[in-house]
Amino acid sequence: MSLLTPIEAPPSLTERAVAELRRDILTARLAPGETVSEGAVAQHLELGKAPVRAALARLAEEGLVIAVPRRGWMVSLVTIRDIHEVFDLRLMLEPEAARRAAGRVDAQILARLDAVCAEGYDCADEDSAMRFLDANKAFHVAIAELAGNARLARQLDRLLDESTRMLVLGLRPRDRTGEMAHEHHVLVEALALGRAEEAARIMHEQVSASRKMVLAALTAPDARTVL
């Protein structure tokens, strides 16, 4: 056995560019439909164009940007179809994850989930809302991990990234901290008591409520992000 402590390699320039761009898109700092210039991004991140180009290509695979001939790149739009597809998939996967996770929690995991439930946000503060959504995502991914299927957890992790941008836009009109914290506590209780069908039902209700919130916000008369 080696006595040397492994040293974690620093992220590559491309990975750094992916992380920065993904964050800006998910927080809507780069708004749907906005043109993204490789040169401007490279200058802002103090990187060369090559890693930025590679990062944009990777984000295109995730559906967050699209290549536009003679214009470069554009942040993908958030459409009604996108919303329904993302939340339809969540409704297929997350109730089953909750059903399988019921009865498999312990005190330490419950404490972590409860801490996530306590996260709040100020709808006028973009960073605050993003911290809340990060916590909300961690809550849902943790339940998927408790289900005991690593592939399910990975798929939901990526799917929740897609829904995060929709939720960022949907949370702006009002503060749902109290509602969502209560919903999470009720779900944690069902999971702790091993009530599988109840946990699945609560999860289905929570995901459905999130879809309604997003649709209401993004189809309002003053919304310009949905086609």
Side-chain angles (χ1 to χ4, degrees), residues 79-89 166 211 215:
T79 69
I80 296 293
R81 180 174 180 176
D82 293 331
I83 293 169
H84 283 303
E85 286 185 353
V86 167
F87 281 94
D88 279 349
L89 274 174
M166 300 169 184
R211 168 155 57 183
L215 286 170

Side-chain angles (χ1 to χ4, degrees), residues 202-218:
I202 294 170
M203 180 65 84
H204 192 283
E205 290 172 354
Q206 289 184 11
V207 175
S208 295
S210 292
R211 168 155 57 183
K212 287 182 180 179
M213 176 192 70
V214 169
L215 286 170
L218 299 188

